[in-house]
Amino acid sequence: MDQKPTMMTYIREEAEYLKNMLNHYPNNIPTIDGREWLLLATGSSINAAYSAKYYIEHLTDVIIEIEEPFKFHYYEKLRPAIDVVIGISQSGESTSTIDALKKIKLERPTVRTYAVTSNLTSEITQVVDRVIDIEMGEERVGYVTKGFSMTTFKLMLMGLKTARERGQITSEQEQLELKQFATAIEEIPNIINKTETFFERRQAEFSKATRFTALGCGSVMGTVLEMQTKFCETVRVPSQGMDIEVFMHGPYLEVNRNHQMFFIESNSPVNDRLTRLKEYETQYVDNLYTITLNDTVDERTIALDLSQIDEYKAPLFTIIPFQVLAHHIAEELGRNLTQRIYTDFGVAMQSKTKPGNYA
């Protein structure tokens, strides 16, 4: 019998699928005319939206608003300036996203609606004007990894094409962006291998952790939020991801020696603040780690060797170590991730239109 796919199955496929998406550019990217985009998503999909937000806004004149669809449906108003609404759901079965899109279309029929999904026959495709394929097929593990990265990259490429079509970047600038992405994607297998080596050296520390925290700022907000999602889903030890400024206004008071803290360096102009915070916390936390785009020999740092990547592209790559660590730490703690739990939850709580088709 064929072996069941695991998180690592899909993590190891990321480079190939990202390259394929890049090779199909720009024909696989729709033209989006609006100036103010509302992105509706939950879970890993909303984390992917945050991961792409600053890249898109950096290149274009687009303003992006991101909302949880359930809250938006019942409590928020669609601002008059919003001219594009994009619902993101890898499965296409997130009921809150579907319901919010239905309500928006009913209240303002003229607004253009899109669905970003990997399931082209799902319910979400029936309630929008246009469907955008994530180009990844079906991910039959409940803990999204490849789908997160593919969604992030699809959104980024939507921003890149928009910038070129509006004349906000030149053809030469567009080609440079594509080349930088291509070069960095080639490094993904090395990033995975480095992370696995890092885990092997630190697994005793990780197995004793009582709290995992990831801290970053700016463009990597989607990374720290997705770390929180993945670790909660798989490691099942209290985990949090947050902006450093949020951390410094209260949550810093809970740290203790047994915490494990990750700092993400993204070549941002505000990295100095992150570095000063890390130096301060060395007094109170034994296990501090760094994920950096640059090279280093520091044994507590995962160096991605992507110094040519700016902070806006960083989220596509800084998430990979967390994906790998989530799987390996969970396995070390005896979490049997191939054994699905709470399989009736989505239908019972009406958060999904039907049970997931998991291996």
Side-chain angles (χ1 to χ4, degrees):
M1 294 179 63
D2 292 337
Q3 221 174 13
K4 282 185 176 183
T6 68
M7 284 174 66
M8 290 307 303
T9 303
Y10 294 111
I11 293 169
R12 295 189 188 282
E13 289 180 355
E14 288 183 20
E16 175 190 353
Y17 277 78
L18 290 169
K19 279 190 281 187
N20 287 340
M21 185 184 289
L22 192 61
N23 290 338
H24 293 149
Y25 178 89
N27 297 326
N28 57 342
I29 305 297
T31 295
I32 300 179
D33 296 325
R35 302 286 177 177
E36 296 208 19
W37 302 358
L38 170 63
L39 274 53
L40 298 171
T42 60
S44 289
S45 292
I46 198 170
N47 299 339
Y50 281 113
S51 294
K53 170 182 167 68
Y54 295 115
Y55 180 80
I56 298 170
E57 292 185 334
H58 172 65
L59 290 180
T60 71
D61 59 356
V62 171
I63 297 172
I64 290 182
E65 180 178 326
I66 300 173
E67 292 282 358
E68 290 273 2
F70 186 87
K71 177 174 71 73
F72 185 86
H73 186 175
Y74 288 100
Y75 297 104
E76 303 291 344
K77 291 182 179 180
L78 184 65
R79 292 188 300 103
I82 296 292
D83 45 18
V84 168
V85 178
I86 301 173
I88 309 169
S89 173
Q90 184 180 325
S91 68
E93 297 164 357
S94 297
T95 55
S96 59
T97 306
I98 294 168
D99 290 344
L101 287 165
K102 285 179 179 178
K103 181 183 179 184
I104 288 169
K105 205 62 179 174
L106 187 64
E107 292 180 351
R108 196 188 301 172
T110 57
V111 72
R112 290 182 296 282
T113 57
Y114 298 80
V116 176
T117 184
S118 64
N119 187 345
L120 304 185
T121 60
S122 59
E123 287 85 342
I124 198 172
T125 66
Q126 307 303 311
V127 300
V128 294
D129 299 320
R130 182 163 182 179
V131 178
I132 302 171
D133 186 4
I134 301 176
E135 299 180 64
M136 56 157 289
E138 190 174 21
E139 187 169 11
R140 299 193 63 216
V141 171
Y143 316 108
V144 173
T145 52
K146 182 174 72 173
F148 171 85
S149 297
M150 294 292 286
T151 301
T152 298
F153 197 35
K154 174 66 77 167
L155 293 170
M156 286 180 169
L157 291 180
M158 287 163 60
L160 181 61
K161 183 174 180 179
T162 297
R164 180 67 192 101
E165 289 186 338
R166 296 182 185 179
Q168 289 156 343
I169 59 172
T170 65
S171 176
E172 290 75 18
Q173 288 172 315
E174 178 187 39
Q175 290 306 310
L176 179 59
E177 292 290 306
L178 295 172
K179 182 179 179 181
Q180 289 177 346
F181 275 127
T183 300
I185 288 169
E186 291 290 344
E187 289 298 315
I188 288 177
N190 291 332
I191 294 172
I192 295 171
N193 292 338
K194 288 178 182 179
T195 305
E196 292 191 315
T197 299
F198 186 85
F199 168 77
E200 289 168 4
R201 293 173 178 168
R202 301 288 172 194
Q203 62 189 92
E205 296 172 10
F206 291 141
S207 66
K208 297 175 183 176
T210 59
R211 162 78 87 174
F212 289 98
T213 300
L215 299 173
C217 56
S219 63
V220 296
M221 279 313 303
T223 301
V224 298
L225 292 173
E226 179 63 5
M227 171 273 176
Q228 175 178 286
T229 299
K230 278 293 143 304
F231 273 54
C232 287
E233 289 176 337
T234 61
V235 178
R236 299 165 193 166
V237 168
S239 303
Q240 60 186 355
M242 66 181 69
D243 179 90
I244 57 173
E245 198 68 24
V246 174
F247 177 80
M248 290 190 291
H249 285 77
Y252 73 95
L253 292 168
E254 73 161 346
V255 300
N256 60 55
R257 291 288 174 195
N258 293 326
H259 284 204
Q260 315 273 323
M261 298 182 68
F262 291 89
F263 294 81
I264 306 175
E265 294 179 351
S266 60
N267 291 340
S268 164
V270 297
N271 268 354
D272 176 64
R273 194 163 177 78
L274 186 82
T275 300
R276 286 188 286 125
L277 176 60
K278 182 171 68 172
E279 289 173 351
Y280 179 87
E281 292 300 342
T282 58
Q283 304 171 80
Y284 305 105
V285 182
D286 289 335
N287 297 313
L288 300 178
Y289 314 106
T290 304
I291 295 173
T292 181
L293 293 176
N294 306 308
D295 191 11
T296 183
V297 294
D298 177 46
E299 64 178 12
R300 289 188 171 271
T301 298
I302 301 175
L304 306 189
D305 292 335
L306 298 176
S307 57
Q308 79 280 12
I309 291 296
D310 61 42
E311 65 171 317
Y312 301 105
K313 300 183 191 69
L316 189 60
F317 306 100
T318 52
I319 190 56
I320 295 169
F322 289 120
Q323 293 175 338
V324 175
L325 289 174
H327 175 270
H328 287 3
I329 296 171
E331 292 285 301
E332 174 71 14
L333 293 176
R335 318 294 190 228
N336 183 3
L337 299 182
T338 60
Q339 179 64 48
R340 293 285 295 163
I341 61 175
Y342 308 128
T343 53
D344 63 340
F345 185 85
V347 173
M349 296 306 301
Q350 297 181 332
S351 61
K352 296 288 185 179
T353 59
K354 55 176 171 284
N357 181 26
Y358 301 121

